[in-house]
Amino acid sequence: MKFVVRGDAVSRRGTLSAFRRLPDVKVETPGCMLFTRCGSVPHLSLDVLNRIENLPQIATSSMSTLSDYQDVVRECKRGLPEFASLDNMVVFCASHDVSAEIIKFNCSTKKTMVVRNRGGNKQYSPADFVKVQEAFKCDMVQCLGDSEGNESTTSGSTRMNKAYNRTVDFLEKTTNFLQGSEIEGTPLLASLVGGMLLEPRTRCAKASVAMTTVSGFVIEGFHNYGVRAECFWNEKEPLGVLRDTISCLPEDKVRVMLGALHPVAILTLSEEGVDLFDTSYTYQVTERGGALSFPLSLQSPKAKADVMFEIDLKDSKYADQFIPLLEGCTCHTCSNFTRGYIHHLLNTKELLAGVLLSIHNIHHYLRFFEQLRRCLDEDSSAAYRQLLEEYCGPTPEYDTGRVSPSPSLSTG
């Protein structure tokens, strides 16, 4: 894998390329990876997924959703990309299911890292981790790290120093086990942990950078996963720590931040130097019956009382609105269905509601990234962020209890 930062860009713009399985694929950054669970986009079959225009050429799945099925994938002998019919996409294996909140367990040890799945917590040594990845044969892999979600934002220096030491030690041993394995040469991305404490964060970053076999970095611990990750965009405190962490990283290696991040946060993080995100935000919007409607152009009119960042289609006022979700949108949903019909589907708990909303929300989110890259090229991202903030209104707030990853459309 090769990552090249453009020298002519006003802000950080780059291209990922030269993947071993798909050498002709090029991924522009800042970019967006297609969020999947067990290799499938929630709510969408493969045929329906292909109705979405200009899908990204890179998808992400996670150890937490895949680990229970490693034996099945191993029997296939062709790896996860072919097993899940993602063979035309670069597949990145992340550590966590970013659509679900991580609850404090602190189960990692000096020798193992914990992966949480439907069956509970599973401990993986570096040798176990490499064995699982040999079955999956993904194009990029995140090394496991000792990140505890919302604990990372509140824990003290003792806990975070343990996290740093365990993460770096696990990374070093994993790189050793990769040598001579079936997946030797697969790009390995280091997990950067340390909570909101600058010292363990920068130490983790510098130790990871020193390992020349590391191909990139996944920045963790600045927010919890799941629905509450959306609140991150309005929190100023993490940005200083994030800037200092990124300053330790080399320019020529890709930087990833996963989670259901608000578009305003995506803009800010892109300006700070983060390269890759994912579409899990669209999943959260779909789960609550929403349709994205924020502007995709600087020429959009300023916010008015009847114009919203996101349309809540559960609201009864949409029952008799026989117009597309968003005027001018070219997605399959807006071209063929109305607000009133989808409101009816939500009220009757029809599975088709999630399908149609997913098509629109993913389409809209991908167009947002196209606009983001244009703004970075034209040095107009600050004006675009101001426009989005006028539309989005107050920051969403969530209680501190456990938040279900599927609050409204879950089918169990």
Side-chain angles (χ1 to χ4, degrees):
M1 183 185 78
K2 183 179 181 181
F3 181 65
V4 178
V5 177
R6 278 174 40 182
D8 62 336
V10 177
S11 299
R12 182 177 170 90
R13 292 273 278 111
T15 305
L16 267 176
S17 61
F19 298 97
R20 183 162 55 185
R21 185 174 60 86
L22 296 170
D24 295 330
V25 167
K26 294 183 178 181
V27 178
E28 282 194 80
T29 66
C32 188
M33 298 183 284
L34 191 66
F35 166 71
T36 74
R37 276 180 159 177
C38 299
S40 297
V41 177
H43 299 297
L44 302 183
S45 68
L46 186 61
D47 289 342
V48 174
L49 175 65
N50 288 328
R51 292 177 181 267
I52 302 175
E53 300 173 355
N54 300 320
L55 283 171
Q57 292 183 287
I58 183 168
T60 179
S61 200
S62 65
M63 276 278 290
S64 56
T65 59
L66 292 168
S67 56
D68 284 340
Y69 310 107
Q70 59 176 295
D71 293 336
V72 178
V73 178
R74 185 177 285 108
E75 284 295 316
C76 172
K77 297 182 179 179
R78 290 176 292 181
L80 178 68
E82 283 200 46
F83 184 82
S85 296
L86 297 173
D87 44 303
N88 62 335
M89 291 184 179
V90 172
V91 178
F92 171 55
C93 184
S95 298
H96 309 294
D97 175 7
V98 297
S99 67
E101 181 183 353
I102 298 177
I103 309 301
K104 295 183 188 179
F105 285 112
N106 193 18
C107 296
S108 297
T109 69
K110 291 181 179 179
K111 296 182 179 180
T112 62
M113 290 292 172
V114 67
V115 171
R116 301 175 181 84
N117 54 28
R118 296 181 68 177
N121 297 333
K122 288 191 176 181
Q123 301 285 347
Y124 286 88
S125 67
D128 297 331
F129 174 72
V130 171
K131 185 178 179 181
V132 171
Q133 296 303 331
E134 285 178 329
F136 294 154
K137 294 180 173 61
C138 292
D139 303 289
M140 298 164 54
V141 175
Q142 177 188 358
C143 189
L144 297 179
D146 188 8
S147 177
E148 295 289 341
N150 58 355
E151 183 181 25
S152 296
T153 65
T154 58
S155 297
S157 59
T158 301
R159 168 71 185 100
M160 289 298 99
N161 281 319
K162 282 184 180 179
Y164 148 71
N165 288 320
R166 291 171 180 174
T167 298
V168 172
D169 184 61
F170 193 94
L171 175 62
E172 184 176 5
K173 290 177 179 177
T174 298
T175 58
N176 293 334
F177 277 106
L178 282 172
Q179 295 176 12
S181 70
E182 296 177 17
I183 57 170
E184 183 177 8
T186 297
L188 182 69
L189 276 64
S191 297
L192 302 184
V193 300
M196 296 300 169
L197 302 179
L198 182 59
E199 182 182 357
R201 272 214 171 269
T202 54
R203 288 171 63 196
C204 185
K206 290 175 181 178
S208 300
V209 168
M211 299 184 197
T212 56
T213 53
V214 169
S215 300
F217 309 93
V218 180
I219 302 169
E220 293 200 320
F222 281 103
H223 64 80
N224 204 348
Y225 292 117
V227 66
R228 289 191 293 178
E230 295 178 45
C231 300
F232 171 78
W233 73 274
N234 203 35
E235 297 176 11
K236 306 302 182 185
E237 180 185 354
L239 289 179
V241 180
L242 176 67
R243 289 190 186 106
D244 289 333
T245 302
I246 289 177
S247 70
C248 301
L249 305 180
E251 286 289 315
D252 61 346
K253 292 189 178 181
V254 68
R255 306 156 183 174
V256 180
M257 195 167 189
L258 302 174
L261 296 167
H262 193 281
V264 176
I266 299 289
L267 267 167
T268 301
L269 293 168
S270 297
E271 292 171 331
E272 297 297 334
V274 180
D275 302 304
L276 278 178
F277 306 90
D278 68 275
T279 61
S280 58
Y281 177 74
T282 66
Y283 171 64
Q284 300 293 359
V285 173
T286 296
E287 289 297 289
R288 58 178 175 254
L292 295 174
S293 56
F294 61 84
L296 298 175
S297 169
L298 284 171
Q299 283 69 49
S300 299
K302 288 190 175 182
K304 298 178 181 178
D306 58 344
V307 180
M308 292 169 291
F309 190 92
E310 173 188 326
I311 302 170
D312 179 10
L313 286 159
K314 290 182 177 179
D315 195 317
S316 59
K317 70 181 181 181
Y318 297 111
D320 57 355
Q321 290 194 13
F322 302 108
I323 58 175
L325 296 180
L326 184 62
E327 294 289 350
C329 179
T330 60
C331 76
H332 176 76
T333 299
C334 290
S335 299
N336 295 278
F337 302 93
T338 66
R339 293 180 178 183
Y341 179 61
I342 297 176
H343 168 79
H344 159 73
L345 294 176
L346 288 168
N347 275 352
T348 55
K349 303 189 186 304
E350 290 283 351
L351 297 181
L352 183 58
V355 174
L356 297 180
L357 285 174
S358 290
I359 292 172
H360 169 78
N361 288 329
I362 293 174
H363 173 94
H364 195 83
Y365 203 60
L366 296 178
R367 301 296 80 73
F368 160 68
F369 273 88
E370 293 176 1
Q371 172 63 16
L372 167 60
R373 289 190 290 270
R374 282 194 295 269
C375 286
L376 291 177
D377 288 341
E378 299 166 1
D379 197 22
S380 58
S381 58
Y384 187 44
R385 180 171 57 249
Q386 182 181 357
L387 179 63
L388 291 186
E389 287 174 341
E390 290 177 1
Y391 272 72
C392 65
T395 309
E397 294 182 358
Y398 303 95
D399 61 45
T400 56
R402 183 170 181 174
V403 180
S404 167
S406 306
S408 58
L409 297 178
S410 176
T411 59

